[in-house]
């Protein structure tokens, strides 16, 4: 850690050495290593921030909340008790990384990218938003539908001590807890090559974790707001699932490409209309406006499906263990060791 240039080169060399042939370019791995190094270098223990008289009071209060959430995560949710989320870093930017999701013109299945450690995933992350947009333009030129979106946090799966970041530290308390629980869940069970399995499991853990945390630490108003958020989220997910089913049915028809394009635009226009209806029913809640701000495409639908397709299956699986989270985690790890067909059959 005293030799930043040497450490950066070592990280890049390891990543490139492990990369599958044709997986990506050397430049991509160098930016990934550099981005991770800068994050590590910026991180300081939360206790240091709390004892530093120069720390702004609002940040001090948020970091104290994070410390309490982190204790709850390991003590009450059986999530890893390690050095992750015990440090804080200010990156000086609004997002940790920018993800690029791509899907073929007539498919809602996202393109896969393969990386060392993480395996194959349904998105590609960049530490620089401009480079993410450049990558998106290249993919659009190849005929893909593309979505670029900012991500406040990501997990290194325990390889590094993931810090709390300025990109989300000032979220509402329940959202802050949700994010920490989600990222720690990736350290419990992670299956390289199955983004939907990984993200759906972590989403199931985060939602159950927040319910338990608010039950102990939250007030009635905070619990009511979380339940309202959960209902809005369920409405949104149902809307996207309906749209995906419509698109999948359309793409399976024997039609000329021009006709498929016309009908695809009609389906996506209806999605916008339905969202406006939901927004009105939510009394103008605008939390999903940014998602709908870009021209909608298959990539939008694919990005949501990756995180949520199997959440209800994991919820039902967790309920079998009647609150015993370690037993639930053990069963998830057992499922992760199965072949894809057997695993998906068990979950569905």
């Amino acid at each position: 850690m005293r030799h930043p240039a040497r450490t950066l080169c070592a990280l890049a060399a390891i990543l490139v050495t492990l990369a599958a042939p044709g997986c990506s370019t050397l430049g991509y791995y160098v930016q990934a290593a550099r981005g991770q190094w800068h994050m590590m270098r910026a991180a300081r223990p939360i206790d240091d921030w709390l004892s530093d008289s120069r720390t702004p009071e609002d940040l001090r209060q948020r970091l104290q909340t994070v410390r309490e959430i982190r204790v709850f995560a390991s003590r009450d949710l059986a999530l890893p008790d390690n050095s992750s989320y015990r440090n804080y870093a200010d990156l000086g930017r609004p997002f940790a990384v920018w993800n690029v999701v791509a899907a073929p013109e007539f498919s809602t299945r996202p393109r896969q990218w393969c990386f060392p450690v993480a395996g194959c995933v349904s998105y590609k992350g960049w530490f620089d938003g401009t480079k993410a947009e450049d990558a998106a333009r290249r993919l659009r030129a190849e005929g893909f539908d593309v979505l670029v979106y900012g991500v406040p946090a990501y997990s290194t799966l325990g390889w590094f001590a993931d810090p709390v970041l300025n990109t989300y530290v000032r979220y509402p308390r329940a959202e802050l807890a949700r994010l920490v629980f989600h990222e720690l869940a990736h350290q419990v069970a992670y299956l390289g090559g199955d983004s939907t399995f990984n993200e759906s499991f972590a989403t199931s853990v985060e939602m159950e974790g927040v319910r338990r945390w608010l039950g102990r630490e939250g007030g009635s108003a905070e619990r009511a707001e979380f339940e309202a958020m959960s209902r809005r989220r369920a409405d949104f997910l149902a809307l996207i699932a309906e749209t995906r089913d419509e698109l999948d049915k359309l793409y399976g028809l024997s039609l000329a490409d021009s006709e498929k394009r016309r009908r695809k635009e009609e389906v996506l226009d209806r999605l916008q209309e339905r969202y406006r209806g939901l927004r009105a029913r939510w009394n103008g809640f605008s939390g999903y406006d940014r998602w709908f701000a870009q021209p909608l495409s298959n990539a939008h639908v694919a990005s949501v499906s990756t995180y949520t397709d199997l959440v209800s299956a994991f919820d039902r699986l967790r309920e079998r263990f009647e609150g015993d989270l370690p037993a639930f985690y053990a069963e998830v790890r057992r499922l992760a060791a199965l072949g894809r067909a057997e695993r998906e059959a068990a979950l569905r």
Side-chain angles (χ1 to χ4, degrees):
M1 300 298 285
R2 290 173 296 174
H3 304 283
R6 186 183 306 171
T7 304
L8 175 59
C9 290
L11 281 169
I14 291 169
L15 290 172
V16 173
T17 300
L18 293 175
C23 176
S24 189
T25 64
L26 174 62
Y28 177 79
Y29 285 102
V30 169
Q31 70 87 33
R34 183 180 291 116
Q36 181 63 39
W37 164 251
H38 285 313
M39 187 174 295
M40 293 160 55
R41 187 176 62 178
R44 289 170 50 200
I46 287 177
D47 287 348
D48 288 359
W49 288 91
L50 292 176
S51 62
D52 190 336
S53 61
R54 296 168 298 178
T55 301
E57 184 57 31
D58 65 327
L59 177 59
R60 187 188 310 278
Q61 293 177 6
R62 303 306 292 178
L63 291 177
Q64 181 61 46
T65 298
V66 169
R67 190 161 64 174
E68 294 166 2
I69 289 169
R70 186 64 185 83
V71 169
F72 183 90
S74 295
R75 184 192 64 207
D76 293 71
L77 303 180
L79 292 170
D81 188 4
N82 56 26
S83 55
S84 291
Y85 308 105
R86 300 187 190 279
N87 301 316
Y88 172 71
D90 187 338
L91 302 180
R93 59 179 186 263
F95 298 108
V97 293
W98 283 260
N99 275 356
V100 178
V101 176
E105 183 181 11
F106 300 126
S107 174
T108 61
R109 293 183 64 84
R111 172 177 171 170
Q112 299 285 298
W113 283 278
C114 298
F115 303 99
V117 181
C120 296
V121 295
S122 302
Y123 40 79
K124 189 173 186 179
W126 297 84
F127 283 92
D128 185 326
T130 301
K131 291 182 178 178
E133 293 291 351
D134 290 343
R137 279 192 289 273
R138 291 192 293 271
L139 288 164
R140 290 189 184 101
E142 295 175 25
F144 286 97
D145 287 3
V146 183
L147 169 67
V148 179
Y149 62 97
V151 180
Y154 66 91
S155 173
T156 60
L157 309 180
W159 283 69
F160 299 104
D162 296 322
V164 177
L165 301 174
N166 66 294
T167 54
Y168 61 86
V169 73
R170 289 181 173 82
Y171 279 11
R173 291 193 337 141
E175 287 295 291
L176 182 56
R178 183 187 65 78
L179 193 148
V180 171
F181 299 157
H182 181 105
E183 300 304 337
L184 282 171
H186 283 313
Q187 297 184 23
V188 170
Y190 186 89
L191 176 58
D194 196 333
S195 297
T196 300
F197 180 93
N198 298 327
E199 299 300 344
S200 295
F201 164 66
T203 298
S204 177
V205 171
E206 80 180 41
M207 298 300 285
E208 175 65 11
V210 173
R211 290 188 189 95
R212 294 189 184 197
W213 184 71
L214 288 178
R216 175 173 294 187
E217 305 291 340
S220 57
E222 200 168 26
R223 288 193 292 270
E225 175 53 32
F226 176 72
E227 291 304 321
M229 180 275 288
S230 298
R231 289 192 295 272
R232 290 191 295 262
R233 182 174 179 274
D235 290 343
F236 170 74
L237 294 178
L239 178 61
I240 300 305
E242 292 172 9
T243 301
R244 184 185 60 181
D245 289 346
E246 288 184 51
L247 290 171
D248 287 343
K249 187 179 297 184
L250 167 62
Y251 298 149
L253 298 176
S254 297
L255 298 172
D257 285 355
S258 58
E259 180 62 13
K260 283 187 179 181
R261 289 189 190 99
R262 186 186 68 80
R263 295 194 188 186
K264 173 184 175 181
E265 290 304 313
E266 290 178 350
V267 172
L268 295 174
D269 287 345
R270 284 197 299 273
L271 174 56
Q272 287 280 17
E273 292 173 9
R274 292 172 183 171
Y275 172 64
R276 287 191 287 270
L278 275 183
R279 200 175 184 279
R281 194 169 68 185
W282 295 339
N283 297 317
F285 174 78
S286 60
Y288 292 95
D289 282 5
R290 178 179 292 178
W291 192 89
F292 282 91
Q294 298 186 49
L296 297 183
S297 70
N298 293 330
H300 280 73
V301 176
S303 69
V304 174
S305 301
T306 295
Y307 278 79
T308 60
D309 250 12
L310 295 173
V311 171
S312 60
F314 280 112
D315 287 346
R316 290 192 297 274
L317 180 62
R318 188 189 66 249
E319 290 164 4
R320 289 186 193 174
F321 294 95
E322 299 180 344
D324 186 345
L325 289 178
F328 167 57
Y329 299 156
E331 177 64 9
V332 170
R333 287 191 288 266
R334 186 190 72 81
L335 290 175
L338 300 177
R340 178 179 289 270
E342 188 178 0
R343 180 173 67 251
E344 291 183 353
L347 283 168
R348 294 193 184 279

